[in-house]
Amino acid sequence: MRTIVTGGAGFIGSHLIDRLVQRGDEVIVIDNLSSGVIEFIQGHIDSNQVQFFNIDLKSLEQIKPIFVGIDMVFHLAANPDIRLGTKITDTDLNEGTIVTYNVLEAMRLADVKKIAFASSSVVYGEDAPMPTPENHGPSIPISLYGASKQAGEGLIGAYVGTFGLQAWIFRFANIIGHRGTHGVIFDFIHKLKADPTRLEVLGNGLQEKSYMEVCDCVDAILHVVSKTDQALNLYNLGSHDTCSVRNIAAIVVRETGNEGASIEYTGGDRGWAGDIPKAMLAIDRLEALGFRINYDSEEAVAHTTRVLIKEIMG
Ligand code: NAD
């Protein structure tokens, strides 16, 4: 199987590649290393199991030839920073919507039929019932990042309906774990490394979201793809519960050995404009396919904190 992973040098992409290489795929990575880390996949490149193209997916002309002879595309490339949209308003349009169009167009031109897409729980917006089922609607995102994910889903639906593609859309909860390069746990550890006496927490700390461990996430992706065969397959990926930001702060302070640090909340019900204070996805559809996650939210947070402390503190 010849597989393209866009964003394959990223946090989730690199874990997916570990699995694809393990199962014997010929893997081709397209990544411009804007937030990716080449060391995450260097071992696979050195052993000729992964071919790496340092190319920006915004250039359709450059990526077109790479798609010839490909069986399946895992499209993970995107701007990972939801907050950035509050300052730079065209990042998600370019790195999300346009890039997804380019990937689909390169697939159409090369007659590649299968795509899996990394979407997000944020497409549901903030008034969704919790846990949110896949058929909840209408879903109106409140961040530019969420809008680009919804646009990506729409484009995929259009290519499925118009050009006969087959697609798997995955709406991720917060994915955390080994090689994490962003997100709340990563931020807290960095803040405490810089100043072990205090930890600033954005918002009032009562934000409550679901967390999924990254190996559970990539295993779930591959499980769903292997067990489903509709033209368009839509799945939430998450865990059974939530963890509050206050709880995460307490875990990080404890695990870093900084119990004396003062935890200071900036106030307000959310971390930034466009943040969704409470989110939890229903994962019944995933579980109906016989998949079981290894970690619920708090276990995933504790596990990730320990792993990232080693990675960040050395
Ligand atoms: P990441 O930043 O580690 O990975 C994204 C990768 O895409 C990076 O390697 C980056 O260099 C690459 N990239 C970005 N723009 C590119 C471009 N124009 N051309 C080529 N490469 C480009 O982030 P991640 O956490 O691994 O996220 C992977 C995917 O999952 C993203 O689409 C993200 O939106 C989605 N997602 C992640 C989470 C999460 O909690 N981490 C939650 C929901 C959805």
Side-chain angles (χ1 to χ4, degrees):
M1 178 117 159
R2 273 171 69 82
T3 312
I4 284 182
V5 181
T6 73
F11 162 50
I12 303 172
S14 65
H15 284 276
L16 179 64
I17 286 170
D18 290 344
R19 293 290 193 272
L20 294 174
V21 164
Q22 210 172 30
R23 78 174 190 189
D25 280 23
E26 199 181 320
V27 181
I28 292 145
V29 172
I30 308 175
D31 197 304
N32 67 355
L33 300 181
S34 51
S35 56
V37 179
I38 192 69
E39 284 75 18
F40 290 169
I41 55 168
Q42 192 64 52
H44 297 310
I45 297 171
D46 291 344
S47 57
N48 293 321
Q49 284 160 306
V50 166
Q51 202 182 346
F52 177 68
F53 290 92
N54 184 346
I55 293 181
D56 194 318
L57 289 151
K58 292 195 289 302
S59 167
L60 178 57
E61 283 312 306
Q62 277 189 285
I63 64 168
K64 262 183 346 198
I66 306 172
F67 284 71
V68 175
I70 294 297
D71 299 301
M72 177 151 188
V73 176
F74 291 87
H75 176 36
L76 276 72
N79 155 50
D81 181 3
I82 304 187
R83 250 179 294 177
L84 195 63
T86 61
K87 297 196 176 67
I88 305 172
T89 55
D90 63 357
T91 302
D92 295 299
L93 177 67
N94 292 323
E95 311 298 327
T97 311
I98 301 293
V99 155
T100 301
Y101 163 76
N102 283 350
V103 167
L104 290 165
E105 191 56 10
M107 289 177 66
R108 182 183 72 82
L109 293 168
D111 202 26
V112 180
K113 291 296 187 205
K114 296 181 184 209
I115 182 169
F117 176 57
S119 187
S120 165
S121 62
V122 300
V123 298
Y124 292 117
E126 67 177 334
D127 293 324
M130 277 172 60
T132 316
E134 287 87 347
N135 61 7
H136 169 72
S139 60
I140 309 287
I142 59 164
S143 61
L144 292 170
Y145 169 92
S148 81
K149 289 297 183 196
Q150 196 178 50
E153 292 189 4
L155 284 166
I156 288 169
Y159 273 74
V160 168
T162 312
F163 302 113
L165 262 63
Q166 184 180 22
W168 287 263
I169 292 174
F170 294 102
R171 292 179 177 159
F172 296 169
N174 290 277
I175 310 300
I176 55 176
H178 170 45
R179 302 185 196 136
T181 52
H182 49 89
V184 60
I185 302 172
F186 180 87
D187 286 348
F188 283 177
I189 297 173
H190 274 281
K191 282 180 179 173
L192 283 168
K193 188 179 179 190
D195 182 356
T197 65
R198 62 183 286 269
L199 176 63
E200 184 196 66
V201 176
L202 301 180
N204 58 15
L206 299 175
Q207 306 96 299
E208 229 186 88
K209 302 179 188 184
S210 272
Y211 293 84
M212 184 183 209
E213 202 273 330
V214 66
C215 293
D216 277 344
C217 172
V218 297
D219 288 343
I221 291 173
L222 295 178
H223 184 87
V224 172
V225 170
S226 73
K227 298 281 181 201
T228 53
D229 202 24
Q230 301 291 311
L232 186 63
N233 307 276
L234 173 62
Y235 283 81
N236 286 337
L237 300 188
S239 53
H240 298 104
D241 58 355
T242 60
C243 187
S244 73
V245 172
R246 272 174 197 254
N247 204 358
I248 296 173
I251 292 170
V252 176
V253 160
R254 185 186 70 228
E255 294 290 337
T256 53
N258 293 309
E259 281 95 340
S262 68
I263 301 178
E264 298 166 14
Y265 297 94
T266 61
D269 71 341
R270 63 195 73 207
W272 57 88
D275 183 25
I276 294 172
K278 292 192 194 302
M280 181 180 163
L281 298 172
I283 57 167
D284 314 52
R285 233 185 235 192
L286 170 67
E287 293 195 316
L289 296 177
F291 188 82
R292 296 289 171 266
I293 57 167
N294 286 310
Y295 295 92
D296 269 319
S297 292
E298 197 166 321
E299 295 162 344
V301 167
H303 168 74
T304 299
T305 303
R306 287 191 283 272
V307 168
L308 290 187
I309 287 171
K310 278 199 200 118
E311 288 179 15
I312 294 168
M313 305 284 203

